[in-house]
Amino acid sequence: MDAESLLLSLELASGSGQGLSPDRRASLLTSLTLVKRDYRYDRVLFWGRILGLVADYYIAQGLSEDQLAPRKTLYSLNCMEWSLLPPATEDMVVQTSVVKGRFMGDPSHEYEHTELQKMSEGEKVFEEEVVVQIKEETRLVSVIDQIDKAVAVIPRGALFKTPFGPIHVNRTFEGLSLSEAKKLSSYFHFREPVELKNKTLLEKADLDPSLDFMDSLEHDIPKGSWSIQMERGNALVVLRSLLWPGLTFFHAPRTKNCGYIYVGTGEKNIDLPFML
Amino acid sequence: MGDTPPDPEPRPQQPSSRRSSQVSQRRSRELSHLPPTISEEVPRIAFDDRVLQSGQGILASQNNFQDWSSGPLLTQQENLTMFQAEEDQLGGVEYPSLNMGFQPQPYLEEGGIQAARNTSLMQQLQQGQGSLFQQLNSAYLETQPNFLGQFSMYQGEDLQFNQGAPHGPYMRDDPALQYSPSELGFMPFNVEVPEPEPRELAVQNAKAYLLQTSVSCSLSLYEHLVNLLTKILNQRPEDPLSLLESLNRTTQWEWFHPRLDTMRDDPEMEPTYETADRQKGLFLRSGAAGEGEQEMEEEVAETAVPNVMETAFYFEQAGVALSSDESFRIFMALKQLVEQQPIHTCRFWGKVLGLSRSYLVAEVEFREGEEEGEEEEVEEPMEGGEGLDAHAEEEGEEDEEKVTDVIPKPMWKPPPVIPKEESRSGTNKYLYFVCNEPGRPWTRLPHVTPIQIVQARKIKKFFTGYLDAPVISFPPFPGNEASYLRAQIARISAATHISPLGFYQFGEEEGDEEEGGAGRDSYEENPDFEGIPVLELVDSMANWVHHTQHILPQGRCTWVNPLQKTEEEEELGEEEEKADEGLEDMEQEVGPPLLTPLSEDAEIMHMSPWTAHLSCSLCPQYSVAVMRSNLWPGAYAYASGKKFENIYIGWGHKYSPENFNPPLPAPIQHEYPSSPEVMEMTDPTVEEEQALKAAQEQALAASEEEEEDEEEDEDEDLED
């Protein structure tokens, strides 16, 4: 959610029950403006909160002018001092996929993972158990990246693509209409499109190249991994992801307010197919 | 139109010069007895000029109106547009006139002389529907000084006519009668048309090109640009150039989606209005006039409705809460519930999220002696089981008459049904009401049965939000979503309802433990509770205790031996008794007693089951101790001073670090008892067969030899 409309967004996203205490809200308002000034970001988003056993991580992201460019992620333990996280790489994701369980809440905590690695010494080839140390910070980076790629949502029309390439915020976006807001196809993944090129030419003919340049949520697998609900009697549409429970996307139809927040344990819900 | 951009600058001077020249021409040629027409012609001329030049660029034409700002025409234009008191003539005055040509309706509503005159001119233009010919026509009209004499005569007549005619929206029809198309049509042909200046021609061509309507819609680029610039000038956004593309798209969209009439209801907003109406009912106080005062007194006295707002405030400090207006609506809804049902105590238990809708759960306790109207559905399975046994027995008896075939009796017996707990005890201590949204009616959930709890532990399903939805799972859940929800509520309550140590204490001492260690199952509030300092609550988990009973693996809080025979079951025969005793002895299940501290809770994979923290680390003296459950994500408890509360907001599932593994299907049952007549004998092997064959041949050979011997003997006898 945009740091500029933080209070309203938190109010709208509170239907999932997870919010922020007043002191955190106040500190966020102050510190995020400072972050924007110091790092010279175009827009700062408050991404959410990852609950750890001992402490929680508060995550923010900074965007540059091009909305789909890789974002800078920052974390903080007390909503005041923010530290920049390194960008996520493929190796990181692979490495941390073996770590299971909750986050500890201590960024320097190291998970130990023993794995068998083939070591060759001279002519002998044998397997040896190697204890790999994975830092919690790495795990944090890769989890945030996975969540962003999987379930970050933006409504159709909120961004538009200019012929020169960069993607801008659409300042005349007036919100989705009520009938559009209830359909999954009006929401896009807020990331580089993956499925778009697989569409048939017939489908692409109906698309508007300046608005429909991202994947929609309609074809997510498994089907039904999004729960759409209207709250406050049709004045608010809330999308909750079932794959990463804790991600809530809210949008007030016919207004500009929209945003998403993740408040959860940072674990994927692998049991989803059983639960649907 | 490559030459258009530089034009806007020199344009302003030229038209004014041209205008002045033309005006002077007019004045020289005009009949002096038409002084009013002069002022009117000026605007008319200016208007026509603008018509000529509009193709060049809208900015250009805007400047033309500097002269036009005088005169009553200005007010009409201002009335026309959506602008209010546009001081800048550039913006304010231009567009309606442009629009006049092509959207005649708004402008022509005006009465007034000048309007009529201009409309008369416009009608000439419109009769060709803005076609090039008409514009050229008007252009030619303008550039014909001698011709203008005729025209001015028409105008004079028109003027006189119009001055006497009433104003109104129907005026526009009348002047058209003055000018029959044939008259209009033939005029240009009569008169020699001097060659128009090349620039004017270029302008006319450009404008005609812009006015072409698009193939796919009836919108022309000209109209669209007009709308777009109108919108920009109306709204005055910052940095309009960067917005241009979006505005372009929005303007186009708006052309085809005009705003609805305010008199008609917006069909999309219907459900919103319905919900708002329903929720309005929550806020209205019900009560007849005479009872007003009595009600006030009653309400000020004790009421069963909990102080939801206070709880919400504390939980908000902890970072867990629904928004404040939703909390208030829940408060109102609970109040409504209390009014409708005979409720003794009531508490907001929490919110369970679902796929389509969510559930708000209230935990209530009825007043003493209130009928609860249970439906006895639990009896049915037991009866069903007995019926089956009886049926099998009958079949067995019948078949015993036929000695040959005996249908084997099924060996499978359904496991004994464990009776559910009584109301107001154990898992059914409280009654639960759910509703989807504040304002909707509350539905009561049925009591939970042990088998439901046992099965609920084995499955993991999302709630859809509809209470009568079936729960399709393996192992099959005995019930629909309402039962599943109730079972999960029971599990969550048993696992996560905690209170500070000392808040509750046991009642009168019941002596030492009863036999079997059933433990105590009731508690009461401790009036001497002093409150534990918040820091201590956070530091040590021993300062919190569970005040709900633990659910045994059996599914109940107090253990019941299902093998105890009731009188009915004894009639089934002794055979079954022996069979049952052959099964494992049921051991009594024991769970941790009531009011166990949290430090005794089992760990989840080396992870503490509870996380404690202060609500605000910056001001510990005023903060609240918050406990967050790691076993049931979404369960929270806070304590501060003498107050504490529990709440659950979540999906309703337990946390398990491993993946969910559904149980495998049961092994295939034996169909029938093995007995020798049913057993299949193994076929003899090849060697055995050959040995048998050899033996048989030997026997045969032996018997043949004997026969031969006998025959030989007989033959010998015969021969002798």
Side-chain angles (χ1 to χ4, degrees), chain B residues 20-201:
Chain B
S20 51
S21 62
Q22 285 179 354
V23 166
S24 55
Q25 284 172 6
R26 301 285 176 278
R27 290 200 171 133
S28 60
R29 286 175 180 92
E30 238 183 325
L31 302 172
S32 57
H33 69 274
L34 293 173
T37 63
I38 296 174
S39 57
E40 290 152 9
E41 278 180 21
V42 169
R44 183 179 62 78
I45 292 159
F47 172 80
D48 294 330
D49 271 349
R50 194 191 27 72
V51 164
L52 287 177
Q53 292 144 13
S54 55
Q56 288 292 337
I58 296 172
L59 282 176
S61 354
Q62 286 174 3
N63 293 327
N64 295 342
F65 277 85
Q66 287 163 357
D67 286 297
W68 215 13
S69 51
S70 61
L73 267 166
L74 184 64
T75 54
Q76 286 154 10
Q77 261 92 50
E78 283 189 354
N79 288 343
L80 273 185
T81 68
M82 282 78 71
F83 306 135
Q84 291 82 28
E86 280 284 337
E87 294 178 299
D88 189 353
Q89 316 103 325
L90 297 183
V93 182
E94 214 303 303
Y95 298 117
S97 321
L98 276 181
N99 290 343
M100 261 195 300
F102 319 104
Q103 288 155 23
Q105 296 86 341
Y107 185 73
L108 293 176
E109 303 302 330
E110 303 293 326
I113 299 165
Q114 292 81 358
R117 285 173 45 104
N118 276 306
T119 55
S120 65
L121 181 61
M122 288 317 304
Q123 275 141 31
Q124 293 179 45
L125 292 176
Q126 280 142 33
Q127 273 158 19
Q129 295 295 322
S131 70
L132 178 60
F133 179 72
Q134 289 299 327
Q135 291 173 21
L136 288 177
N137 191 9
S138 61
Y140 289 142
L141 290 175
E142 283 311 293
T143 53
Q144 305 294 323
N146 49 350
F147 178 64
L148 267 172
Q150 296 179 17
F151 205 69
S152 62
M153 270 193 339
Y154 274 107
Q155 287 167 350
E157 285 181 9
D158 191 21
L159 175 62
Q160 285 161 2
F161 175 80
N162 283 331
Q163 273 172 344
H167 299 270
Y170 303 105
M171 276 297 294
R172 63 184 176 112
D173 287 327
D174 295 327
L177 295 176
Q178 298 289 320
Y179 307 98
S180 59
S182 56
E183 285 176 302
L184 276 178
F186 90 97
M187 279 191 284
F189 296 120
N190 264 356
V191 182
E192 281 182 21
V193 179
E195 197 60 31
E197 293 178 33
R199 204 169 216 143
E200 284 176 26
L201 189 58

Side-chain angles (χ1 to χ4, degrees), chain B residues 112 181 379 486 532 658:
Chain B
E379 299 296 328
R486 180 64 181 84
I532 303 181
E658 293 106 16

Side-chain angles (χ1 to χ4, degrees), chain A residues 2-266:
Chain A
D2 226 330
E4 274 146 35
S5 54
L6 188 71
L7 292 179
L8 175 64
S9 308
L10 280 174
E11 183 85 10
L12 293 177
S14 61
S16 310
Q18 304 281 9
L20 292 178
S21 55
D23 60 313
R24 295 276 184 236
R25 256 184 266 156
S27 11
L28 269 184
L29 280 175
T30 332
S31 57
L32 287 181
T33 21
L34 290 176
V35 161
K36 186 169 176 186
R37 176 200 72 182
D38 290 338
Y39 289 89
R40 307 247 182 270
Y41 290 136
D42 191 60
R43 235 173 32 130
V44 174
L45 302 180
F46 176 59
W47 187 88
R49 186 167 140 202
I50 293 193
L51 308 172
L53 287 178
V54 174
D56 301 336
Y57 295 107
Y58 295 87
I59 316 283
Q61 287 188 329
L63 271 71
S64 53
E65 184 73 29
D66 182 6
Q67 302 290 314
L68 276 190
R71 290 170 242 172
K72 310 277 184 301
T73 316
L74 303 106
Y75 81 95
S76 158
L77 289 163
N78 58 1
C79 280
M80 254 308 161
E81 293 142 4
W82 295 88
S83 328
L84 194 60
L85 283 173
T89 59
E90 287 283 332
D91 294 336
M92 272 192 209
V93 174
V94 167
Q95 196 187 31
T96 52
S97 57
V98 295
V99 181
K100 295 207 201 316
R102 298 279 302 267
F103 276 87
M104 282 308 292
D106 175 15
S108 55
H109 175 82
E110 296 194 342
Y111 297 96
E112 296 189 347
H113 168 69
T114 54
E115 55 179 38
L116 300 173
Q117 275 188 8
K118 290 201 176 156
M119 311 273 287
S120 54
E121 281 187 11
E123 295 176 351
K124 292 188 255 181
V125 175
F126 55 90
E127 291 187 359
E128 196 182 286
E129 281 197 6
V130 173
V131 176
V132 178
Q133 304 254 352
I134 302 169
K135 289 217 286 202
E136 174 140 313
E137 218 178 64
T138 322
R139 187 175 174 213
L140 189 65
V141 165
S142 70
V143 160
I144 295 174
D145 186 59
Q146 281 176 3
I147 293 179
D148 268 343
K149 287 212 166 73
V151 288
V153 178
I154 196 133
R156 177 177 186 270
L159 301 180
F160 76 97
K161 191 169 179 172
T162 56
F164 312 110
I167 289 144
H168 294 292
V169 173
N170 183 1
R171 278 164 54 195
T172 64
F173 175 57
E174 291 292 332
L176 300 173
S177 67
L178 266 173
S179 55
E180 279 176 11
K182 293 190 191 161
K183 294 189 231 164
L184 268 184
S185 54
S186 344
Y187 301 99
F188 291 148
H189 283 284
F190 193 12
R191 56 146 205 245
E192 294 286 338
V194 171
E195 300 282 326
L196 210 54
K197 52 186 182 300
N198 297 339
K199 280 186 183 270
T200 64
L201 275 179
L202 204 59
E203 286 170 356
K204 280 199 229 176
D206 290 329
L207 298 181
D208 183 349
S210 68
L211 288 185
D212 297 301
F213 54 93
M214 293 185 281
D215 299 323
S216 92
L217 296 188
E218 216 179 1
H219 302 294
D220 268 4
I221 295 169
K223 200 165 167 144
S225 63
W226 287 95
S227 128
I228 289 197
Q229 283 182 29
M230 306 294 295
E231 294 208 353
R232 294 171 186 231
N234 266 13
L236 183 67
V237 61
V238 175
L239 264 76
R240 293 199 184 101
S241 166
L242 304 177
L243 190 58
W244 290 92
L247 183 106
T248 312
F249 168 82
F250 63 89
H251 173 52
R254 298 193 178 180
T255 69
K256 285 177 97 158
N257 301 323
C258 66
Y260 65 91
I261 188 173
Y262 178 83
V263 179
T265 62

